[in-house]
Amino acid sequence: MTIRNRISGQFTLIVASILILFSLIIYGTSARYRQAEFYERLKRKARTTVRYLIEVKEIDRDLLKIIDQNTLAALINEKVLIFDERNQLIYASVDDQVIHYRPSLLDQIRQQEQIETTDGENEVVGLLYQERGRPLVVLASAYDQFGKSELRNLRRTLIWGLFGGIGMTVALGFFFAGKSLQPIADINRQVQTITARDLRQRLDEGRRRDEIDQLAININSVLERLEQAFEQQRSFVSHASHELRTPLTALKTEIQLGLRRRLSAGEYETVLHNLMFDTNRLIALSNSLLLLARPLENVGHMRSEVVRLDEIVFSAQAELLNAYPHYRVQVDYDTPPETEIDAYVKGNETLLRRMVLNLLDNACKYSVAHCAWVRICMDGKTCCLTIRDEGIGMTADEQAHIFEPFYRADGALNFDGFGVGLSVCQRVVDFHQGTIAVASEPGQGSLFIVTLPRA
Ligand code: ADP
């Protein structure tokens, strides 16, 4: 069911219920008023008749009957009956019709003094009248032709009004629901033309006032973010394939060299060493790309546990010096930890070691002396690492970009690297809810500060 049909259906249901309720109230109230008025009329008739008969000496029963039957205002089926205390009929305004009454009704009137009831289609009123200590019961009944025909007309008018009202509500509800939903239909049409290949399209934001305009604005901002994300992904893929090609080309050249002619054992060994070196570079690059391409929570088995940050630093130092024995890394404590608990952080050991390794590698790589100084500081809430070098440094402009994937400062192009190490560091720090900052001066050196929450 479309929203348009649902809205017009609900609207019709509400209006129809209100119309029916009002019609019932109007009809019910009119019917009650009619009956009350008619009873009042019958009571007046009953009182007048009994007063004429008893109090006006000049009028006897036959005269009264003639008067009753010839009154202009006589009602249809009108009957007035008067009974004495022994239920003997002492007066009847009609004589050619059969007079129905229940004796129990007379007793009821004597008890209640006044009664309003119905007899078939006729309304009946009973009154107790005291004539010099003698209780007389007067019964007056008639058919309210005028009132009932008025009521029938009212009922017909209400029923037609109801059908007309409901019909109009359906038509108007359908029309206005369609009109109100038109902007959504427009948005639908525009959204259908947007594809992953062309995310530059934007929806019409109208006059930016109502909820639908707001929806268009929000969809546009989602499209904006999607377009940026697609753009980043495209550039990531193109950078990644470019960076992968370099070591692969080197590998191919080495292999071609080995195949071109028969080499001596020593030359083969050199080729194999070179192949090993390039393969390691490829493995390192693909590992970094993997860490950048997916949320860290989804990469491998990234369990978080309580780990000692200083031990991670020492193990990264050992790993680096093992690969590059000519590097120098000096590790110091700001204040040595009193207990091992002081250096505990909650995190993933593999990721944290990778981060420290990247920072130490950069510090040694980008300085002529290949030296790095690490300081471990702890306070009540955080564990902090500072990695300092006296290398080439960076300008403020370069510092603003170094955490972007594949960015390499001009001064770094003479050094080996892919431009992904610091992006990985940033992701690892984010994953551990920490921060990473840099301070650097070109030609003076750099200082990286990593702060992690303590376990
Ligand atoms: P890579 O070192 O492989 O180029 P990174 O992502 O680790 O990639 O670093 C990005 C860039 O940041 C480097 O290319 C370099 O320009 C700059 N950089 C990082 N660390 C240092 C440092 N210690 N001294 C000077 N520049 C650095």
Side-chain angles (χ1 to χ4, degrees), residues 198-361:
D198 184 14
L199 284 170
R200 273 165 307 166
Q201 276 196 60
R202 294 291 177 268
L203 305 180
D204 180 11
E205 294 181 356
R207 272 176 279 169
R208 307 172 70 95
R209 267 196 306 215
D210 60 17
E211 289 86 345
I212 294 175
D213 292 347
Q214 199 53 51
L215 177 71
I217 293 169
N218 289 341
I219 293 179
N220 279 347
S221 84
V222 170
L223 284 173
E224 186 81 45
R225 290 200 294 272
L226 269 181
E227 190 188 354
Q228 278 170 13
F230 264 84
E231 204 37 64
Q232 275 171 9
Q233 206 180 14
R234 252 183 237 138
S235 111
F236 182 83
V237 171
S238 99
H239 273 106
S241 34
H242 178 78
E243 294 300 338
L244 282 170
R245 216 172 27 209
T246 316
L248 282 173
T249 316
L251 272 179
K252 191 178 168 191
T253 316
E254 292 290 339
I255 293 167
Q256 278 172 339
L257 209 70
L259 290 176
R260 198 171 298 153
R261 62 181 171 85
R262 197 163 273 286
L263 300 177
S264 67
E267 284 173 324
Y268 272 126
E269 204 176 326
T270 317
V271 169
L272 284 177
H273 271 301
N274 289 343
L275 288 179
M276 189 64 177
F277 177 77
D278 285 328
T279 312
N280 281 339
R281 267 170 56 96
L282 261 178
I283 292 172
L285 176 60
S286 55
N287 283 341
S288 299
L289 290 179
L290 191 67
L291 289 178
L292 287 179
R294 283 198 271 156
L296 291 182
E297 291 80 354
N298 301 348
V299 179
H301 211 64
M302 290 303 166
R303 268 197 310 131
S304 280
E305 53 206 353
V306 176
V307 287
R308 272 192 73 160
L309 190 62
D310 51 353
E311 279 185 358
I312 289 175
V313 173
F314 289 124
S315 102
Q317 177 194 30
E319 195 177 330
L320 184 72
L321 297 183
N322 189 32
Y324 303 98
H326 58 292
Y327 282 4
R328 293 279 163 267
V329 178
Q330 191 180 320
V331 183
D332 280 315
Y333 287 101
D334 204 26
T335 30
E338 284 170 17
T339 64
E340 58 179 32
I341 300 170
D342 290 347
Y344 279 160
V345 293
K346 191 165 182 338
N348 181 274
E349 195 178 335
T350 317
L351 290 177
L352 289 172
R353 191 178 316 106
R354 166 66 64 92
M355 176 196 67
V356 177
L357 204 57
N358 283 352
L359 292 170
L360 291 181
D361 186 26

Side-chain angles (χ1 to χ4, degrees), residues 362 365-366 389 394 402 407-409 412 417-422 446:
N362 279 352
K365 183 168 72 177
Y366 293 114
D389 66 69
M394 292 164 272
I402 54 173
Y407 175 82
R408 305 201 74 207
F418 300 112
V420 291
L422 284 182
S446 308

Side-chain angles (χ1 to χ4, degrees), residues 29-254:
T29 322
S30 306
R32 230 174 310 121
Y33 280 146
R34 180 209 61 80
Q35 201 174 41
E37 225 169 73
F38 197 64
Y39 280 140
E40 207 43 54
R41 213 166 148 185
L42 284 177
K43 276 184 214 162
R44 275 202 306 274
K45 177 74 191 165
R47 278 193 208 101
T48 321
T49 307
V50 80
R51 227 178 288 132
Y52 275 153
L53 191 69
I54 291 160
E55 291 172 10
V56 185
K57 294 288 164 236
E58 294 76 15
I59 301 179
D60 68 359
R61 287 171 202 195
D62 294 331
L63 181 58
L64 187 58
K65 205 181 281 185
I66 293 165
I67 295 172
D68 267 345
Q69 286 166 2
N70 293 287
T71 314
L72 271 178
L75 300 166
I76 302 222
N77 285 348
E78 183 183 290
K79 275 182 267 179
V80 181
L81 311 177
I82 303 177
F83 299 87
D84 64 8
E85 66 276 19
R86 289 194 309 279
N87 287 359
Q88 290 299 313
L89 184 66
I90 56 172
Y91 172 76
S93 62
V94 283
D95 49 12
D96 54 341
Q97 296 176 36
V98 186
I99 299 162
H100 296 287
Y101 68 92
R102 282 172 283 122
S104 62
L105 182 67
L106 303 181
D107 295 336
Q108 210 182 334
I109 297 168
R110 283 190 192 96
Q111 272 169 20
Q112 294 175 12
E113 296 194 352
Q114 201 179 94
I115 250 182
E116 292 169 350
T117 180
T118 52
D119 174 22
E121 292 223 289
N122 294 353
E123 258 100 18
V124 180
V125 159
L127 289 178
L128 185 66
Y129 193 88
Q130 293 292 344
E131 189 238 341
R132 282 181 237 115
R134 206 175 149 214
L136 296 180
V137 173
V138 190
L139 273 183
S141 91
Y143 174 71
D144 183 10
Q145 192 192 29
F146 176 73
K148 286 195 174 161
S149 120
E150 288 272 278
L151 213 55
R152 266 196 302 278
N153 283 341
L154 178 67
R155 191 170 54 210
R156 212 172 301 128
T157 313
L158 286 175
I159 288 173
W160 283 116
L162 208 60
F163 279 126
I166 292 173
M168 264 169 70
T169 312
V170 171
L172 290 177
F174 196 70
F175 173 72
F176 283 111
K179 215 168 154 49
S180 313
L181 293 172
Q182 187 57 44
I184 292 192
D186 292 344
I187 288 184
N188 251 338
R189 199 170 17 79
Q190 291 174 42
V191 168
Q192 273 166 4
T193 62
I194 298 173
T195 60
R197 282 176 190 283
D198 184 14
L199 284 170
R200 273 165 307 166
Q201 276 196 60
R202 294 291 177 268
L203 305 180
D204 180 11
E205 294 181 356
R207 272 176 279 169
R208 307 172 70 95
R209 267 196 306 215
D210 60 17
E211 289 86 345
I212 294 175
D213 292 347
Q214 199 53 51
L215 177 71
I217 293 169
N218 289 341
I219 293 179
N220 279 347
S221 84
V222 170
L223 284 173
E224 186 81 45
R225 290 200 294 272
L226 269 181
E227 190 188 354
Q228 278 170 13
F230 264 84
E231 204 37 64
Q232 275 171 9
Q233 206 180 14
R234 252 183 237 138
S235 111
F236 182 83
V237 171
S238 99
H239 273 106
S241 34
H242 178 78
E243 294 300 338
L244 282 170
R245 216 172 27 209
T246 316
L248 282 173
T249 316
L251 272 179
K252 191 178 168 191
T253 316
E254 292 290 339

